[in-house]
Amino acid sequence: MKILVLNCGSASVKWGLYADGKSVDGGLIERVTDCAQAVREVLFTADVSDVDAVGHRVVHGGLRFTAPTLIDDAVLESVTRLIPLAPLHNPVNLEGIKIAREMLPGVPQVAVFDTAFHRTIPPAQAMYAIDVEVAQENGIARYGFHGTSHEYVSHRTAELLGRDPAETNIITLHLGNGASACAVRAGRSSATSMGLTPLEGLVMGSRSGNVDPAVVFHLHRVAGMSFDAIDDLLNQRSGLRGLCGDNDMREVLRRRDEGDEAAALAFDVYCERIKMYVGAYYALLGRVDAITFTAGVGENAAPVREASLSGLDALGIVVDPARNTAAERGERIISPDGASPVVCVVPTDEELEIANQTAELLAR
């Protein structure tokens, strides 16, 4: 089965062609300002004449979508209604779907939802402590995101350790421009840092992560900011960008190494937040077999990995400096021999996971 995967982000379009679970082609279009045009470019240049299906990454599936779903008009309408919960992502996901349906008529289109992997989170983690009726009426709950990445990476980590995912507890750290942590118990998500939207949790490239909710009211009442302006502040002008003016960790590290105090503080805030979640998820899981870094920052920024886990020796969490900074790439262990939990780096492959889930759905 030949499958085209489209992963449309707010500023990029990543795509891949897979045949029988193996990559045969792919690419990334960056600095995208027109998602529809970028998807057209992919479909004009890639060999899609004989694709059997198209798998799409869709960020927010709400409570309705708990598994890969064959796309029809009703599904598109439901995903559209979820835009307020993922305003940076669902609109571009929808654009990619609409162009693919237009240019590949008759080819099955499948939505794979970032939120689906997290539907196994227990109520004690999924519920916010607000009025239950208000929460239910408005769909307020912890949905979580980066699910395809956390699922893929946790299973690959178990394989790297030679263990069955169903018998392995793993903390996965997806650190890119968007960032999230996940506590994976026996192959299933049991807690994750992102919440109702992708804004909650870790410090990100331009998103704040956790803030006191009263910050919103304070900025509205005292600073006179509109709710749209506050939304823009927390999603587009916060995180690393808000702290030091750069949302690219490579630039933050360069500036820090040159003695830039703002960049050094941004780095510290970023890593301290990760450390907080690692400790919390260790407590929730009770036993942790591995901690795994993935995505652009997690896979490539050795200083982030070191700083995020420093001082956790009492929990058995240790990073080997030589292994951590080695030029080696790919799946690898960066903790000392015999350490428990094991610290790993596993490159994510969301597109392969989407392709596999698409193929499994159509094979039923």
Side-chain angles (χ1 to χ4, degrees):
M1 183 177 289
K2 186 175 181 181
I3 295 173
L4 169 68
V5 172
L6 292 173
N7 184 344
C8 298
S10 57
S12 66
V13 172
K14 193 172 183 182
W15 64 277
L17 277 171
Y18 298 84
D20 299 323
K22 296 182 179 179
S23 174
V24 295
D25 198 5
L28 173 67
I29 304 176
E30 297 184 281
R31 292 180 289 279
V32 169
T33 57
D34 186 337
C35 177
Q37 182 56 39
V39 172
R40 288 191 182 95
E41 181 180 331
V42 170
L43 296 177
F44 278 130
T45 58
D47 180 16
V48 298
S49 58
D50 57 345
V51 296
D52 298 293
V54 182
H56 298 268
R57 177 200 181 200
V58 178
V59 167
H60 213 305
L63 294 175
R64 174 181 172 183
F65 299 107
T66 61
T69 303
L70 197 62
I71 296 170
D72 57 21
D73 291 342
V75 169
L76 286 182
E77 183 179 346
S78 295
V79 173
T80 300
R81 288 199 297 270
L82 292 166
I83 285 176
L85 297 180
L88 299 181
H89 300 90
N90 273 27
V92 291
N93 300 156
L94 285 164
E95 283 188 42
I97 292 169
K98 290 174 182 176
I99 298 302
R101 293 180 86 197
E102 171 191 310
M103 296 184 65
L104 296 172
V107 175
Q109 312 272 331
V110 174
V112 177
F113 296 90
D114 268 14
T115 49
F117 179 59
H118 301 301
R119 298 310 339 123
T120 54
I121 292 175
Q125 281 294 321
M127 293 183 67
Y128 291 103
I130 66 172
D131 182 271
V132 173
E133 291 184 2
V134 172
Q136 290 177 343
E137 288 172 3
N138 295 279
I140 297 173
R142 179 177 303 282
Y143 293 98
F145 301 91
H146 294 140
T148 52
S149 177
H150 288 297
E151 184 170 10
Y152 175 84
V153 168
S154 62
H155 288 178
R156 288 300 307 161
T157 299
E159 292 183 26
L160 178 63
L161 301 183
R163 303 185 61 158
D164 184 341
E167 298 175 353
T168 311
N169 291 351
I170 301 169
I171 298 172
T172 49
L173 300 168
H174 178 109
L175 308 179
N177 193 49
S180 65
C182 185
V184 182
R185 184 191 302 277
R188 295 156 68 92
S189 177
S190 62
T192 192
S193 58
M194 286 179 167
L196 174 74
T197 75
L199 181 60
E200 187 181 0
L202 302 181
V203 175
M204 303 174 226
S206 66
R207 280 173 266 171
S208 63
N210 292 342
V211 294
D212 182 340
V215 168
V216 175
F217 311 136
H218 181 83
L219 291 173
H220 180 65
R221 294 168 180 160
V222 177
M225 293 179 67
S226 69
F227 289 120
D228 285 345
I230 298 169
D231 190 315
D232 178 72
L233 170 71
L234 296 180
N235 277 291
Q236 303 284 6
R237 297 186 289 118
S238 295
L240 293 174
R241 177 178 289 164
L243 290 167
C244 71
D246 270 312
N247 69 316
D248 189 323
M249 181 56 77
R250 291 168 295 190
E251 277 299 298
V252 174
L253 289 171
R254 181 190 65 77
R255 288 171 51 190
R256 184 192 71 140
D257 292 344
E258 293 175 354
D260 187 306
E261 292 183 3
L265 178 59
F267 174 85
D268 289 344
V269 172
Y270 184 95
C271 295
E272 287 289 307
R273 184 72 57 82
I274 295 169
K275 186 185 300 185
M276 182 182 75
Y277 271 94
V278 169
Y281 287 173
Y282 197 113
L284 281 174
L285 290 171
R287 187 198 83 245
V288 176
D289 300 298
I291 298 167
T292 300
F293 291 88
T294 194
V297 176
E299 294 168 26
N300 298 298
V304 170
R305 296 193 296 262
E306 179 183 10
S308 298
L309 300 183
S310 68
L312 298 179
D313 311 54
L315 299 177
I317 301 172
V318 183
V319 172
D320 181 279
R323 289 180 175 179
N324 187 40
T325 57
E328 180 185 358
R329 289 294 178 263
E331 297 179 354
R332 59 198 186 276
I333 293 172
I334 61 170
S335 51
D337 291 340
S340 180
V342 178
V343 181
C344 307
V345 178
V346 173
T348 191
D349 197 334
E350 293 174 275
E351 290 70 39
L352 175 58
E353 183 69 24
I354 292 169
N356 289 340
Q357 292 191 28
T358 298
E360 290 171 7
L361 174 65
L362 296 178
R364 292 172 188 166

